[in-house]
Amino acid sequence: REVFVQALRRLGVPFVQCLAEADREIAALANRWGCPVLSLDSDFCVFDLAGGYCPLSGFQWQDVRAAEAGGGAPGRYIPALCFSAERFCGRFGRLQKSLLPLFAVMSGNDYADVPALEGFFSKVRLPEAGRGKHGRMRGLLRWLAQFGGPEEAVDDVLRCLRKHQREEVRELLRAAMEDYRPSDVKLEDFFQEGRYECEAARSSGLPPWVLGALARGELSPFVSDALILRSTFLHVQVENMQQPSAHSAALLLRQVIYGLLLRAPGGAEQPPAVCEFGRVQKSLKKTLVEAASLPAPFCDGGCSLEKLTEVPMSCRQLLLLETLGVDMSLLEPVPGHLQLPAAVTCYWTRSDSKVNLHQLKALLLMIVSGELQEMANDPDPPLPHAEDDSTAYNQFLRWKEEKLQSKENKDFDLDAAHSFCQWQCCLQMGLYLNQLLSSPLPEPDLARLYSGTLVHRLYQELKSTPSVENLFSSSPKMTQLYRVLLNTVKS
């Protein structure tokens, strides 16, 4: 998600991050602008969209074509599929578009689970449409086509249920169908004037600077979940399920984030807490995590979340570095944009993880390779060492291609994968803490910072061929960068 947000910024694509469920607001904006919606969410098949819905899986990305000569504008295009609710309904007789939300709810969707509807399906005789789930869905669509609108159809559904269930199910269906009505939020105002106003924002009680940063994507939804819902979800990666969750390594970082967001008033007996949903082995577990106590000036009575941006930047940087366990003097030799990853890597090696030297070196070599690629792709590189960097990059590409295409048996090392997952969790929470403190350290370019395939191959090679550490020896600049990073972390 963070890589995607950075890519949008780099490409100059305007975007807004909705505070609550975004589907209705997307549908409203699409209809306002007459645009199709691009997504992989099939719920957009149900909204009445003037421009239709283009599933991302229907784009032939490699097939870029020149526009045909004629009256149209010159240019190129990518063939894609566009779903039209109107044409879809035409496949089922006189099916009204207004009945699609009821169809979605009765078929089972993200928004509602109404077990009582099984009573309806056991009693009603649907038109023949084949077996299985899709057969039942086609039958349901043909059955709905006999009604003039959703109210009439709901009445018929309720007749098949027991009397004591009817009003409750009516309310459930009404509420679930409401989620397919385009929102009245005017997202257009955000793109034209920078204003994002919605009921969820008004009722949240969040400071204006937090709401603005969330809308601009400068803070993660992780922050609003902790603030509004008092709960967060820790996504599981490919990791060793027998070991504690990879997120355990970043627990202290999350506690400091919670401390900043939910500071208890002075003299509070119980520190505020957030309910985290994570894994224990292969099961989902709910854990109550207490917010960390903060140093002055963050714990002063007058320093609320609303005034966090008024705390001097030097204090914010000190809190970030003390949480990561690093002194700024240690980071000074490191290029500014790599200081946060370097500090996170220091934290990772001391956290609850069994990091070995090969894993650390593989990670740092991978970071250096991203820097080298950026320099090699620079259309106007700085003159000193430019030829060396180009030579080193071409050698690295040959090595990478040879190793990644090699049939040589390299077993997947689950423990190493777990360690690299821990590093990613630490980086993610280090990034969120840095953002919440208004970036006392520059934000790194995440896309070129990490490649799972590459770091695993480097780790395997280092175990059998230590000389791989000299992969960038033809570039003095990259060799120096690698040494600086390694010495920083080892220090």
Side-chain angles (χ1 to χ4, degrees):
R1 186 199 150 277
E2 282 70 42
V3 171
F4 182 64
V5 166
Q6 285 189 347
L8 290 175
R9 285 209 184 95
R10 190 165 56 247
L11 294 168
V13 177
F15 69 95
V16 60
Q17 181 172 268
C18 296
L19 191 62
E21 180 67 51
D23 291 5
R24 294 180 61 211
E25 298 186 16
I26 291 169
L29 185 64
N31 281 341
R32 171 74 181 152
W33 284 348
C35 298
V37 169
L38 278 58
S39 174
L40 265 181
D41 188 343
S42 59
D43 275 320
F44 287 112
C45 294
V46 179
F47 284 95
D48 187 5
L49 299 169
Y53 157 56
C54 294
L56 288 169
S57 55
F59 281 79
Q60 299 169 37
W61 299 107
Q62 305 305 318
D63 186 14
V64 181
R65 301 182 187 179
E68 295 174 9
R76 297 188 298 168
Y77 69 92
I78 298 166
L81 298 174
C82 188
F83 174 90
S84 157
E86 193 160 337
R87 289 183 64 184
F88 176 75
C89 289
R91 299 285 184 94
F92 298 94
R94 299 190 308 261
L95 180 63
Q96 302 294 315
K97 285 187 289 184
S98 61
L99 285 158
L100 289 180
L102 179 60
F103 162 70
V105 175
M106 293 182 70
S107 300
N109 70 341
D110 295 348
Y111 298 110
D113 179 22
V114 190
L117 288 178
E118 284 305 318
F120 161 79
F121 285 111
S122 66
K123 289 181 182 176
V124 76
R125 184 179 175 82
L126 296 177
E128 284 297 319
R131 296 182 178 179
K133 183 181 177 183
H134 287 154
R136 182 158 99 166
M137 290 169 84
R138 282 192 292 270
L140 178 58
L141 286 162
R142 291 198 173 110
W143 182 82
L144 287 169
Q146 66 183 299
F147 300 105
E151 295 81 7
E152 188 185 334
V154 167
D155 287 342
D156 226 58
V157 169
L158 297 178
R159 285 193 198 100
C160 298
L161 305 183
R162 294 174 181 171
K163 283 187 178 179
H164 71 274
Q165 295 176 316
R166 290 175 185 173
E167 285 314 305
E168 182 187 357
V169 171
R170 186 192 295 277
E171 185 53 34
L172 282 171
L173 291 175
R174 187 204 63 74
M177 287 191 292
E178 185 72 11
D179 285 315
Y180 290 108
R181 187 179 59 79
S183 163
D184 55 4
V185 173
K186 294 179 180 174
L187 274 187
E188 195 173 30
D189 290 349
F190 178 83
F191 293 105
Q192 292 177 347
E193 303 163 24
R195 284 189 297 111
Y196 173 55
E197 294 180 1
C198 66
E199 183 53 42
R202 282 190 290 272
S203 61
S204 69
L206 301 184
W209 80 264
V210 173
L211 288 170
L214 284 166
R216 293 188 298 272
E218 292 163 6
L219 288 175
S220 161
F222 179 88
V223 167
S224 53
D225 286 349
L227 270 170
I228 298 170
L229 306 176
R230 291 288 179 103
S231 69
T232 53
F233 194 92
L234 307 177
H235 293 276
V236 179
Q237 302 178 75
V238 178
E239 54 190 84
N240 189 338
M241 295 293 178
Q242 301 311 309
Q243 289 192 35
S245 163
H247 288 280
S248 303
L251 175 61
L252 174 60
L253 297 175
R254 295 197 303 279
Q255 287 180 300
V256 172
I257 291 171
Y258 300 153
L260 288 166
L261 294 174
L262 308 171
R263 269 164 293 178
E269 290 181 19
Q270 190 72 25
V274 170
C275 180
E276 291 186 344
F277 290 87
R279 72 159 185 86
V280 172
Q281 294 192 329
K282 292 185 181 179
S283 301
L284 188 68
K285 189 179 180 199
K286 190 165 67 170
T287 309
L288 209 59
V289 174
E290 287 188 354
S293 299
L294 300 174
F298 298 96
C299 62
D300 295 347
C303 187
S304 62
L305 178 62
E306 193 163 359
K307 296 189 176 177
L308 179 59
T309 52
E310 297 173 20
V311 174
M313 183 58 86
S314 58
C315 295
R316 283 181 263 156
Q317 187 184 80
L318 187 61
L319 177 65
L320 175 67
L321 294 176
E322 284 185 347
T323 304
L324 292 168
V326 180
D327 192 87
M328 191 62 205
S329 61
L330 195 69
L331 293 177
E332 279 168 1
V334 177
H337 65 284
L338 291 179
Q339 287 178 342
L340 182 60
V344 162
T345 305
C346 294
Y347 173 90
W348 168 64
T349 59
R350 285 197 311 275
S351 66
D352 183 24
S353 55
K354 297 165 184 170
V355 181
N356 63 45
L357 194 55
H358 288 322
Q359 291 169 6
L360 172 61
K361 287 180 175 179
L363 192 74
L364 298 180
L365 285 168
M366 177 198 63
I367 290 172
V368 172
S369 76
E371 293 300 297
L372 183 61
Q373 179 178 358
E374 185 70 10
M375 287 189 178
N377 292 338
D378 187 345
D380 189 22
L383 285 176
H385 309 304
E387 196 172 326
D388 294 336
D389 292 339
S390 180
T391 302
Y393 183 58
N394 289 330
Q395 287 173 345
F396 166 69
L397 285 182
R398 284 195 294 273
W399 176 88
K400 184 179 171 185
E401 190 173 352
E402 177 192 328
K403 294 301 176 185
L404 297 184
Q405 291 182 355
S406 167
K407 299 277 191 290
E408 195 180 332
N409 182 26
K410 294 283 185 184
D411 292 330
F412 179 69
D413 189 319
L414 189 57
D415 287 330
H418 196 81
S419 279
F420 295 136
C421 285
Q422 288 176 316
W423 182 82
Q424 289 181 84
C425 293
C426 295
L427 178 68
Q428 183 185 40
M429 292 304 153
L431 185 75
Y432 290 171
L433 178 57
N434 190 53
Q435 289 173 342
L436 187 57
L437 294 167
S438 303
S439 299
L441 291 181
E443 194 164 293
D445 181 352
L446 298 169
R448 73 172 194 254
L449 199 62
Y450 187 82
S451 162
T453 307
L454 178 59
V455 75
H456 278 272
R457 177 53 72 162
L458 283 165
Y459 171 66
Q460 297 285 11
E461 288 295 312
L462 282 165
K463 286 196 295 183
S464 57
T465 317
S467 61
V468 171
E469 195 175 354
N470 302 317
L471 193 56
F472 307 113
S473 57
S474 57
S475 167
K477 191 172 182 179
M478 292 299 114
T479 302
Q480 173 66 9
L481 176 60
Y482 173 69
R483 290 292 162 203
V484 164
L485 290 171
L486 186 59
N487 290 337
T488 298
V489 181
K490 286 171 99 174
S491 297

